[in-house]
């Protein structure tokens, strides 16, 4: 009886859905009564992260509410590019898999065109909402770029001591400061700047005590396993201190100049701890690279770009469950685990401006977001001259109009403001043909410039010959699967288990590893400990060229579904366990991580 009733209800629902579909398809030609009761609808179909919105263009009448029908097996959002003065999108709705939602905010919009995207998959999912009619309404307010760009304090000593503490951070030009968890009282934390080859010991003192145990990883660097920021061992206990040693050498040689990133790495809490503010930058200068005469000193500026969501009174929203197991069981379990904020910050500020001189600037751009990739571009169509990846300079500079960076990826670029006194230039993140302005450069001072970008940069350090022929190890990224009552991402069919090492490699060997994305979503795969050469790339088995911006040393690769990358590295100096993982922190926390062990 019960099941018959359910079937009847289901049939009724399907019939209603069919009427709705007809009305939407027929538009003006349909029967008026039906069309009037069916709200205009944005449809999302299966694998929208690959194929985009099913409804890319929708026209509504002023005052109408829009319905979103998500027919996909994963969460998506419909989020306007235009924002209010606080950086909040004019409309934004997050729709779980196979659910329907309404965007009431569209009823407030003034007539006009509003581009929208899915915040979780902005590279493929963009659309346009057109509001027809007359009268007023919200149009979004222009950004004022009121805050001057914050450049985090620089620490140069050999033994920095950095408290991990709560602090009130100025994120917005107006209203209260934002309470965050910080390294050293600022967000991002202080930039540590050291010569390569100079041993550096960094001591972190936990004064938060509310975050549980912590772990700090220096991303991109080569150091002992005990100093690696292991997710579940060698932890920083509440109220205690822990020191990490960074020799900034590889096989007794000073490493190339680099732009690293230190951040929390605690198991199942990395996403929360980074979101709350535990991130900072680390620059390594190699004196032999001075001969390039690249812009330096005040013309060398690190920019950490990351997104967060805030309450109206400027406090961080906390999308993380109290019990981390709920991340792998509830409606946000993989593949619906994606933490993306609606407001993009540069060096911890919303929409800052930077007064620059008529000079070349070396901008070291880091994507320190939890999940989102940014496709960077400059406002007037000019190019970036990219010097390196963060792990090293390239052999030759690469000129690019767009630079797509996934979480933890860096781009070391030069932008030339020479001869442009009075100009305004914007750093933007684009999706389709729309974009979000992240910060403003105001060219306010005339100076002379003796810096340059030479045609040839770094000759990469020589690599010992392969000790294992062919591919020594393959790492496959798999779609999520249920294990018990939880759902996890997996590598080679296994979710992360801190007690398991998936592979053993001999110290001083040189190996090629192959990484393949066999899932339906893009991932950013990171390998700890060594710096790697990118040997080859393929897509569904057919070779594709290695891009010019993957010709330096690297530690993270973008892998679209079906992509394979082959990388080569030498396991020098240190023994013990190290990690490989996706650097989308939700994925990393939800199983997409594994360990390998270096032995004698
Ligand atoms: Cu930047 Cu294992 O991380
Ligand atoms: Cu991932």
């Amino acid at each position: 009886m019960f099941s018959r009733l359910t079937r009847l209800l289901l049939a009724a629902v399907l019939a209603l859905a069919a009427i709705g579909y007809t009305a939407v398809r027929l538009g003006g030609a349909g029967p008026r009564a039906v069309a009037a009761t069916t709200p205009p609808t944005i449809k999302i179909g299966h694998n929208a992260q690959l194929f985009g919105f099913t409804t890319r263009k929708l026209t509504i009448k002023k005052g109408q509410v829009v319905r979103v029908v998500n027919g996909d097996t994963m969460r998506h959002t419909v989020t306007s590019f235009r924002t209010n003065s606080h950086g909040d999108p004019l409309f934004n709705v997050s729709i779980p898999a196979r659910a329907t939602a309404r965007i009431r905010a569209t009823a407030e919009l003034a007539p006009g065109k509003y581009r929208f995207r899915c915040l979780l998959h902005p590279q493929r999912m963009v659309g346009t909402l057109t509001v027809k009619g007359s009268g007023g309404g919200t149009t979004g307010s222009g950004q004022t770029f009121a805050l001057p760009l914050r450049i985090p304090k620089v620490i140069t000593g050999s033994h920095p001591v950095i408290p991990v503490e709560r602090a009130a951070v100025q994120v917005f030009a107006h209203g209260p400061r934002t309470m965050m968890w910080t390294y050293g009282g600022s967000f991002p934390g202080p930039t540590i700047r050291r010569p390569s080859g100079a041993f550096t010991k960094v001591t972190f003192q936990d004064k938060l005590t509310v975050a549980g145990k912590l772990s700090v990883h220096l991303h991109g660097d080569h150091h002992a396993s005990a100093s690696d920021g292991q997710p579940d061992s060698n932890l920083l206990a509440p109220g205690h201190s822990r020191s990490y040693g960074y020799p900034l050498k590889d096989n007794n040689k000073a490493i190339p100049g680099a732009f690293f990133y230190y951040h929390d790495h605690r198991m199942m809490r990395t996403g929360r701890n980074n979101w709350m503010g535990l991130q900072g930058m680390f620059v390594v200068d190699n004196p032999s690279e001075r001969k390039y005469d690249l812009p330096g000193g005040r013309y060398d500026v690190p920019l950490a770009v990351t997104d967060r969501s805030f309450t109206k009174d400027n406090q961080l929203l906390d999308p993380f469950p109290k019990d981390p197991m709920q991340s792998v069981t509830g409606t946000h379990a993989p593949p619906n685990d994606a933490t993306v904020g609606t407001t993009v910050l540069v060096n911890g500020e919303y929409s800052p401006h930077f007064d620059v001189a008529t000079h070349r600037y070396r901008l070291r751009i880091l994507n320190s977001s939890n999940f989102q990739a940014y496709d960077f571009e400059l406002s007037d169509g000019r190019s970036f001259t990219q010097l390196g990846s963060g792990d090293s300079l390239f052999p030759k500079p690469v000129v690019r109009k767009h630079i797509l960076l996934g979480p933890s990826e860096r781009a070391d670029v030069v932008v030339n403001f020479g001869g442009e006194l009075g100009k305004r230039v914007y750093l933007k993140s684009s999706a389709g043909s729309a974009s979000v302005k992240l910060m403003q450069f105001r060219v306010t001072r005339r100076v002379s410039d003796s810096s340059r970008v030479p045609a040839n940069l770094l000759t990469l350090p020589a690599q010992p010959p392969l000790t294992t022929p062919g591919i020594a190890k393959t790492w496959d990224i798999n779609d999520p699967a249920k294990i018990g009552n939880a759902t996890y991402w997996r590598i080679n069919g296994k979710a992360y288990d801190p007690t398991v090492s998936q592979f053993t490699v001999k110290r001083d060997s040189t190996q090629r590893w192959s990484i393949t994305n066999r899932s339906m979503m893009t991932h950013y795969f990171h390998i700890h400990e060594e710096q790697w050469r990118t040997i080859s790339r393929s897509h569904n088995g057919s070779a594709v060229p290695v891009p010019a911006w993957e010709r330096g040393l690297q530690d993270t690769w973008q892998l679209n579904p079906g992509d394979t990358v082959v990388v080569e590295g030498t396991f020098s100096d240190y023994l013990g366990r190290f990690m490989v993982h996706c650097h989308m922190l939700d994925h990393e926390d939800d199983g997409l991580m594994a360990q390998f062990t270096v032995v004698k």
Side-chain angles (χ1 to χ4, degrees):
M1 190 60 203
F2 179 76
S3 83
R4 242 195 93 185
L5 183 65
T6 313
R7 284 220 318 268
L8 279 173
L9 278 172
L10 192 66
V13 168
L14 284 173
L16 283 172
I19 293 168
Y21 181 64
T22 311
V24 168
R25 258 201 1 175
L26 293 178
R32 285 205 84 88
V34 175
T37 56
T38 307
T41 301
I42 295 172
K43 291 190 162 206
I44 300 173
H46 193 49
N47 278 331
Q49 81 281 9
L50 302 179
F51 304 120
F53 287 104
T54 308
T55 310
R56 284 165 212 214
K57 288 198 166 114
L58 182 68
T59 300
I60 63 170
K61 284 192 229 128
K62 188 177 146 41
Q64 273 189 305
V65 166
V66 170
R67 184 177 66 153
V68 186
V69 177
N70 181 4
D72 201 357
T73 50
M74 68 176 85
R75 178 180 293 275
H76 296 287
T77 85
V78 174
T79 308
S80 67
F81 281 90
R82 278 202 229 164
T83 64
N84 63 18
S85 59
H86 191 249
D88 301 320
L90 296 184
F91 54 88
N92 174 40
V93 65
S94 172
I95 319 103
R98 296 206 174 88
T100 296
R102 267 163 212 268
I103 319 179
R104 305 208 179 271
T106 57
E108 313 298 322
L109 297 174
K113 273 200 194 312
Y114 299 86
R115 311 294 308 272
F116 60 85
R117 81 281 199 199
C118 169
L119 273 183
L120 314 181
H121 314 101
Q123 269 72 46
R124 306 270 174 99
M125 296 180 70
V126 288
T128 307
L129 175 72
T130 304
V131 182
K132 283 250 156 80
S134 55
T138 312
T139 53
S141 24
Q143 288 159 272
T144 55
F145 302 97
L147 277 181
L149 178 75
R150 170 160 64 227
I151 297 177
K153 171 175 142 197
V154 179
I155 295 184
T156 56
S158 61
H159 182 195
V161 177
I162 299 180
V164 185
E165 60 193 3
R166 276 166 66 87
V169 173
Q170 181 159 27
V171 175
F172 295 97
H174 304 286
R177 294 181 173 237
T178 306
M179 284 310 301
M180 297 186 75
W181 298 353
T182 69
Y183 291 130
S186 69
F187 176 69
T191 300
I192 302 170
R193 186 149 197 157
R194 296 284 296 155
S196 64
F199 186 87
T200 305
K201 173 173 157 181
V202 185
T203 301
F204 291 91
Q205 302 173 321
D206 175 53
K207 297 186 170 173
L208 278 176
T209 67
V210 293
K213 291 179 177 161
L214 299 170
S215 188
V216 190
H217 171 56
L218 181 55
H219 181 118
D221 186 48
H222 173 68
H223 42 241
S225 173
S227 282
D228 194 38
Q230 300 278 342
D232 200 40
S233 56
N234 302 302
L235 299 174
L236 167 57
H240 288 75
S241 294
R242 173 166 290 277
S243 298
Y244 297 83
Y246 308 124
L248 309 180
K249 281 184 185 175
D250 193 334
N251 203 9
N252 282 318
K253 283 183 58 188
I255 59 171
F259 175 42
F260 295 149
Y261 165 35
Y262 64 97
H263 62 79
D264 185 83
H265 213 303
R266 177 68 173 121
M267 191 167 83
M268 295 190 93
R269 286 306 199 187
T270 300
R272 180 196 67 175
N273 295 350
N274 277 267
W275 176 272
M276 294 302 288
L278 300 184
Q279 312 186 308
M281 297 177 275
F282 193 123
V283 177
V284 180
D285 292 301
N286 186 315
S288 76
E289 293 172 13
R290 275 191 209 131
K291 61 173 184 269
Y292 300 130
D293 299 323
L294 295 166
R298 59 156 64 163
Y299 304 113
D300 177 355
V301 179
L303 299 174
V305 180
T306 190
D307 49 79
R308 299 287 185 277
S309 291
F310 298 89
T311 62
K312 293 249 176 304
D313 59 349
N314 297 351
Q315 299 312 302
L316 277 175
L317 290 176
D318 178 4
F320 300 95
K322 282 238 157 1
D323 172 5
M325 276 307 286
Q326 283 172 10
S327 301
V328 284
T329 53
T331 56
H332 287 270
N336 292 303
D337 49 341
T339 304
V340 177
T342 51
T343 306
V344 185
L345 313 178
V346 181
N347 287 351
E349 293 174 322
Y350 170 60
S351 200
H353 72 269
F354 184 32
D355 287 333
V356 295
T358 54
H359 199 281
R360 287 182 191 80
Y361 279 74
R362 182 174 186 178
L363 304 174
R364 304 181 190 242
I365 306 173
L366 158 70
N367 176 350
S368 54
S369 73
N370 279 49
F371 185 89
Q372 189 174 182
Y374 304 110
D375 188 3
F376 293 103
E377 63 174 334
L378 293 162
S379 58
D380 51 1
R382 77 177 71 197
S383 302
F384 303 97
T385 301
Q386 190 176 354
L387 307 174
S389 57
D391 287 339
S392 75
L393 295 173
F394 297 149
K396 287 176 187 306
V398 181
V399 175
R400 303 173 74 183
K401 282 215 154 108
H402 284 264
I403 299 182
L404 179 68
L405 296 182
S408 86
E409 291 194 300
R410 290 91 71 209
D412 187 352
V413 304
V414 168
V415 176
N416 190 355
F417 299 108
E420 299 193 329
L421 195 65
K423 248 196 150 175
R424 300 264 191 279
V425 178
Y426 300 90
L427 177 68
K428 307 196 299 182
S429 162
S430 65
S433 57
S435 59
V436 177
K437 286 178 182 157
L438 306 180
M439 68 175 287
Q440 180 189 54
F441 297 93
R442 299 177 182 167
V443 190
T444 54
R445 279 174 295 129
R446 197 194 303 274
V447 295
S448 65
D449 184 355
S450 57
S451 72
R452 62 187 183 116
V453 177
N456 291 297
L457 294 165
L458 185 74
T459 306
L460 295 185
Q463 178 128 45
L466 277 188
T467 41
T468 319
I471 303 293
K473 176 65 185 165
T474 59
W475 302 97
D476 286 350
I477 302 172
N478 307 119
D479 272 322
K482 266 212 142 152
I483 302 174
N485 63 351
T487 307
Y488 295 94
W489 289 99
R490 297 162 304 145
I491 294 181
N492 294 343
K494 294 186 188 73
Y496 178 63
D497 176 345
T499 66
V500 172
S501 168
Q502 285 204 18
F503 186 63
T504 298
V505 54
K506 282 212 171 95
R507 181 167 61 188
D508 295 325
S509 58
T510 297
Q511 293 195 338
R512 284 188 178 177
W513 288 1
S514 163
I515 308 148
T516 298
N517 182 357
R518 299 190 191 281
S519 84
M520 285 313 289
M521 189 188 289
T522 299
H523 299 278
Y524 291 87
F525 197 83
H526 170 49
I527 308 179
H528 281 216
E529 185 53 6
E530 300 304 339
Q531 296 186 334
W532 299 77
R533 326 282 160 120
T534 305
I535 302 300
S536 64
R537 274 188 170 270
S538 55
H539 180 70
N540 291 336
S542 325
V544 292
V546 172
W549 54 88
E550 291 190 343
R551 301 265 165 79
L553 299 174
Q554 261 190 286
D555 61 64
T556 306
W557 296 266
Q558 182 192 18
L559 289 158
N560 290 322
D563 280 0
T564 295
V565 63
V566 174
V567 302
E568 182 175 311
T570 301
F571 297 84
S572 49
D573 302 316
Y574 308 111
L575 304 176
R577 282 193 181 181
F578 298 97
M579 326 297 300
V580 302
H581 60 89
C582 177
H583 218 289
M584 298 153 99
L585 302 184
D586 303 271
H587 294 176
E588 168 181 346
D589 278 339
D590 296 348
L592 220 170
M593 179 151 70
Q595 299 180 96
F596 64 92
T597 309
V598 184
V599 297
K600 271 197 191 135

